Amino acid sequence: MQKAINPTETTVCVMGLGYIGLPTASVLATKGYQVFGVDVRTDVVDTINQGKIHIEEPDLDMLVRSAVNSGQLKAGTKPQPADIFIICVPTPNREDHSPDLSYVEHASKAIQPVVREGNLIVLESTSPPKTTDEIVLPLAVPDGLTVGEHVYVAHCPERVLPGRILLEVVQNDRVVGGVTAACGQRAQEFYETFVTGDVLVTNSVAAEVTKLVENSYRDVNIAFANELSLMADELEIDVWELIELANRHPRVNILSPGPGVGGHCISVDPWFLVHCLPNLTKLIRTAREVNDSKPHHVVAHVAELASKFGSPRIGCLGLAYKANVDDLRESPSLEIVRGLKDQSVGELLVCDPHVRSEQFNEFPLLPLDQVLEESHILVLLTDHRQFRKIPRRTLQERVVVDTRGVWR
Ligand code: SAJ
């Protein structure tokens, strides 16, 4: 019988200090856990050990500073022995959309020498079906320890929305999937020490698929909205009005079209299901294709408008994949700016107040005032709050492409 988990007597080793690992590590530290965070990047480790952060997320700077100053959170490049290991590393796609699980493999192998009897190992990275059982378990659990008896292995997919991570990491309901029933129970006990939402227990494969289904559901629904935007353009009607009107039906709730779907989650995770079950995932695949094609339509539209100017200057507002974050991963906004550059559509004036020039040097990042002043065409790509506030007077004097419908 395992003793109950008391945060102040428990050590946690978090593998991967990115968008999920760092918020999770700092929340656990403030709950009283002694947390050791591990990242392969020495610059990330150094930044965190100085009480600073390398990503933008509301209130994370304060939380990390206080966790580091109080000594509850430390970072390093190699894992240390702990009671609980949480793996929060990236699970990207390769060019052919097959999953690249090398980071999970690397993290699992790295902890194996320090895993001891009584430990709980949780994979939080969004993963294809069976990753917990077939990759984490064999690579992370040392010989001689029986899973479900001496050591516990589970999957607990993260579900937080960038921009709201610190709230959602605590408030969201969580699904924990144990490799055995005892593993699920142990993981549930752990999450219940810091999550205020419900912690629901299932098996590891069901937990993996639940997460993939959540993001595929959203992708399919955004694809529907994006398809409507193409139809509406062709029919010369306003897609935003169309959706507003249709959404007045009590059982219709269409999402918003946009320049495409980005981020490291929704544009990646559905492929895990498609890759695993290619013959059973036609709708999910098509949704991916519809959303992936949207940036090309935007580039073509801007190119057509630009062709009416002698030497057009095109203001590109936003590079991040969604509002008020600095995350450029799989960003359709960035893809559109690159597409405009490749097609030599005109001079590009790029502005993103959330992206720092040390993070991105492909285009010079210009102040908003300059872009508004000098552009013939303004293309709204990311609906950052700074762009929503642009006076309508300024917009009336320009040709405008509003991919997010925020300037209506
Ligand atoms: N988008 C639209 N139209 C919409 C909503 C979103 O075009 O109506 C676009 C956004 O601009 C962005 C992309 O979709 O480019 C994804 O944004 P998002 O806010 O929908 O989701 P993410 O990727 O930031 O976070 C998702 C969330 N999943 C769900 O809402 C089902 C989050 O809860 C997950 O934890 C996260 O993926 C993840 O880590 O998997």
Side-chain angles (χ1 to χ4, degrees), residues 92-93 261-265 267-268 321 327-335:
N93 267 334
V261 168
H264 183 58
C265 312
S267 66
V268 173
Y321 84 97
D327 195 338
L328 297 172
R329 290 176 300 172
E330 323 296 331
S331 172
S333 309
L334 179 54
E335 191 183 338

mmCIF file of all heavy atoms in Angstrom, residues 92-93 261-265 267-268 321 327-335:
data_model
loop_
_atom_site.group_PDB
_atom_site.id
_atom_site.type_symbol
_atom_site.label_atom_id
_atom_site.label_comp_id
_atom_site.label_asym_id
_atom_site.label_seq_id
_atom_site.Cartn_x
_atom_site.Cartn_y
_atom_site.Cartn_z
ATOM 1 N N PRO A 92 6.457 16.239 -32.251
ATOM 2 C CA PRO A 92 6.126 16.835 -33.553
ATOM 3 C C PRO A 92 5.809 15.787 -34.614
ATOM 4 O O PRO A 92 5.914 14.584 -34.373
ATOM 5 C CB PRO A 92 7.408 17.593 -33.915
ATOM 6 C CG PRO A 92 8.500 16.943 -33.142
ATOM 7 C CD PRO A 92 7.884 16.270 -31.951
ATOM 8 N N ASN A 93 5.434 16.301 -35.772
ATOM 9 C CA ASN A 93 5.231 15.457 -36.951
ATOM 10 C C ASN A 93 6.422 15.564 -37.870
ATOM 11 O O ASN A 93 7.006 16.632 -37.982
ATOM 12 C CB ASN A 93 4.039 15.994 -37.754
ATOM 13 C CG ASN A 93 2.758 15.333 -37.361
ATOM 14 O OD1 ASN A 93 2.769 14.223 -36.885
ATOM 15 N ND2 ASN A 93 1.659 16.017 -37.572
ATOM 16 N N VAL A 261 -4.988 27.101 -39.493
ATOM 17 C CA VAL A 261 -4.898 26.617 -38.106
ATOM 18 C C VAL A 261 -3.434 26.372 -37.764
ATOM 19 O O VAL A 261 -2.728 25.672 -38.488
ATOM 20 C CB VAL A 261 -5.721 25.328 -37.929
ATOM 21 C CG1 VAL A 261 -5.409 24.654 -36.608
ATOM 22 C CG2 VAL A 261 -7.204 25.654 -38.007
ATOM 23 N N GLY A 262 -2.995 26.981 -36.663
ATOM 24 C CA GLY A 262 -1.600 26.816 -36.276
ATOM 25 C C GLY A 262 -1.446 26.317 -34.859
ATOM 26 O O GLY A 262 -2.390 25.799 -34.254
ATOM 27 N N GLY A 263 -0.246 26.501 -34.331
ATOM 28 C CA GLY A 263 0.066 26.023 -32.987
ATOM 29 C C GLY A 263 0.588 24.608 -33.073
ATOM 30 O O GLY A 263 0.446 23.920 -34.096
ATOM 31 N N HIS A 264 1.157 24.190 -31.977
ATOM 32 C CA HIS A 264 1.796 22.887 -31.999
ATOM 33 C C HIS A 264 0.803 21.746 -31.765
ATOM 34 O O HIS A 264 1.176 20.585 -31.775
ATOM 35 C CB HIS A 264 2.893 22.855 -30.931
ATOM 36 C CG HIS A 264 3.635 21.566 -30.943
ATOM 37 N ND1 HIS A 264 4.284 21.121 -32.068
ATOM 38 C CD2 HIS A 264 3.776 20.602 -30.017
ATOM 39 C CE1 HIS A 264 4.802 19.950 -31.817
ATOM 40 N NE2 HIS A 264 4.517 19.608 -30.583
ATOM 41 N N CYS A 265 -0.491 22.079 -31.575
ATOM 42 C CA CYS A 265 -1.420 21.034 -31.136
ATOM 43 C C CYS A 265 -2.426 20.668 -32.208
ATOM 44 O O CYS A 265 -2.410 19.562 -32.732
ATOM 45 C CB CYS A 265 -2.148 21.517 -29.889
ATOM 46 S SG CYS A 265 -1.013 22.191 -28.682
ATOM 47 N N SER A 267 -2.906 21.600 -35.229
ATOM 48 C CA SER A 267 -2.451 21.334 -36.595
ATOM 49 C C SER A 267 -1.563 20.083 -36.667
ATOM 50 O O SER A 267 -1.151 19.688 -37.750
ATOM 51 C CB SER A 267 -1.691 22.553 -37.135
ATOM 52 O OG SER A 267 -0.512 22.740 -36.402
ATOM 53 N N VAL A 268 -1.271 19.491 -35.535
ATOM 54 C CA VAL A 268 -0.356 18.334 -35.496
ATOM 55 C C VAL A 268 -1.097 17.059 -35.047
ATOM 56 O O VAL A 268 -1.029 16.012 -35.696
ATOM 57 C CB VAL A 268 0.813 18.616 -34.513
ATOM 58 C CG1 VAL A 268 1.676 17.381 -34.317
ATOM 59 C CG2 VAL A 268 1.667 19.781 -35.008
ATOM 60 N N TYR A 321 0.639 32.347 -33.981
ATOM 61 C CA TYR A 321 -0.447 31.517 -34.513
ATOM 62 C C TYR A 321 -1.818 31.917 -33.997
ATOM 63 O O TYR A 321 -2.833 31.558 -34.602
ATOM 64 C CB TYR A 321 -0.182 30.022 -34.262
ATOM 65 C CG TYR A 321 -0.588 29.488 -32.906
ATOM 66 C CD1 TYR A 321 -1.804 28.836 -32.731
ATOM 67 C CD2 TYR A 321 0.249 29.605 -31.805
ATOM 68 C CE1 TYR A 321 -2.190 28.321 -31.508
ATOM 69 C CE2 TYR A 321 -0.119 29.095 -30.572
ATOM 70 C CZ TYR A 321 -1.346 28.462 -30.431
ATOM 71 O OH TYR A 321 -1.731 27.953 -29.211
ATOM 72 N N ASP A 327 3.888 32.613 -29.755
ATOM 73 C CA ASP A 327 4.195 31.278 -30.278
ATOM 74 C C ASP A 327 4.090 31.270 -31.811
ATOM 75 O O ASP A 327 3.026 31.550 -32.370
ATOM 76 C CB ASP A 327 3.192 30.294 -29.650
ATOM 77 C CG ASP A 327 3.595 28.854 -29.819
ATOM 78 O OD1 ASP A 327 4.379 28.556 -30.727
ATOM 79 O OD2 ASP A 327 3.093 28.019 -29.028
ATOM 80 N N LEU A 328 5.188 30.910 -32.462
ATOM 81 C CA LEU A 328 5.215 30.916 -33.936
ATOM 82 C C LEU A 328 5.072 29.516 -34.527
ATOM 83 O O LEU A 328 5.102 29.356 -35.745
ATOM 84 C CB LEU A 328 6.554 31.501 -34.418
ATOM 85 C CG LEU A 328 6.816 32.959 -34.046
ATOM 86 C CD1 LEU A 328 8.243 33.354 -34.399
ATOM 87 C CD2 LEU A 328 5.832 33.860 -34.771
ATOM 88 N N ARG A 329 4.918 28.521 -33.668
ATOM 89 C CA ARG A 329 4.931 27.147 -34.174
ATOM 90 C C ARG A 329 3.738 26.889 -35.109
ATOM 91 O O ARG A 329 2.610 27.157 -34.749
ATOM 92 C CB ARG A 329 4.928 26.152 -33.012
ATOM 93 C CG ARG A 329 6.264 26.183 -32.260
ATOM 94 C CD ARG A 329 6.254 25.286 -31.049
ATOM 95 N NE ARG A 329 5.233 25.660 -30.093
ATOM 96 C CZ ARG A 329 4.918 24.947 -29.020
ATOM 97 N NH1 ARG A 329 5.556 23.828 -28.774
ATOM 98 N NH2 ARG A 329 3.982 25.364 -28.200
ATOM 99 N N GLU A 330 4.043 26.398 -36.287
ATOM 100 C CA GLU A 330 3.036 26.073 -37.322
ATOM 101 C C GLU A 330 2.115 27.252 -37.622
ATOM 102 O O GLU A 330 0.962 27.062 -38.029
ATOM 103 C CB GLU A 330 2.148 24.870 -36.911
ATOM 104 C CG GLU A 330 2.803 23.747 -36.159
ATOM 105 C CD GLU A 330 3.860 23.041 -36.960
ATOM 106 O OE1 GLU A 330 3.742 23.021 -38.186
ATOM 107 O OE2 GLU A 330 4.828 22.552 -36.349
ATOM 108 N N SER A 331 2.602 28.473 -37.423
ATOM 109 C CA SER A 331 1.701 29.620 -37.551
ATOM 110 C C SER A 331 1.301 29.883 -39.001
ATOM 111 O O SER A 331 2.161 30.094 -39.862
ATOM 112 C CB SER A 331 2.383 30.872 -36.995
ATOM 113 O OG SER A 331 1.581 31.986 -37.288
ATOM 114 N N PRO A 332 -0.019 29.918 -39.286
ATOM 115 C CA PRO A 332 -0.439 30.249 -40.654
ATOM 116 C C PRO A 332 -0.083 31.686 -41.009
ATOM 117 O O PRO A 332 0.164 31.991 -42.176
ATOM 118 C CB PRO A 332 -1.959 30.035 -40.623
ATOM 119 C CG PRO A 332 -2.354 30.067 -39.195
ATOM 120 C CD PRO A 332 -1.154 29.662 -38.392
ATOM 121 N N SER A 333 -0.043 32.574 -40.004
ATOM 122 C CA SER A 333 0.308 33.975 -40.273
ATOM 123 C C SER A 333 1.725 34.038 -40.846
ATOM 124 O O SER A 333 1.983 34.711 -41.844
ATOM 125 C CB SER A 333 0.236 34.800 -38.980
ATOM 126 O OG SER A 333 -0.994 34.598 -38.346
ATOM 127 N N LEU A 334 2.624 33.319 -40.200
ATOM 128 C CA LEU A 334 4.010 33.290 -40.671
ATOM 129 C C LEU A 334 4.100 32.650 -42.062
ATOM 130 O O LEU A 334 4.819 33.124 -42.944
ATOM 131 C CB LEU A 334 4.861 32.514 -39.653
ATOM 132 C CG LEU A 334 6.343 32.328 -39.958
ATOM 133 C CD1 LEU A 334 7.024 33.658 -40.231
ATOM 134 C CD2 LEU A 334 7.033 31.625 -38.780
ATOM 135 N N GLU A 335 3.322 31.594 -42.254
ATOM 136 C CA GLU A 335 3.335 30.932 -43.568
ATOM 137 C C GLU A 335 2.873 31.896 -44.669
ATOM 138 O O GLU A 335 3.417 31.913 -45.776
ATOM 139 C CB GLU A 335 2.416 29.705 -43.509
ATOM 140 C CG GLU A 335 2.581 28.821 -44.719
ATOM 141 C CD GLU A 335 1.625 27.626 -44.703
ATOM 142 O OE1 GLU A 335 1.148 27.234 -43.621
ATOM 143 O OE2 GLU A 335 1.374 27.095 -45.803
#
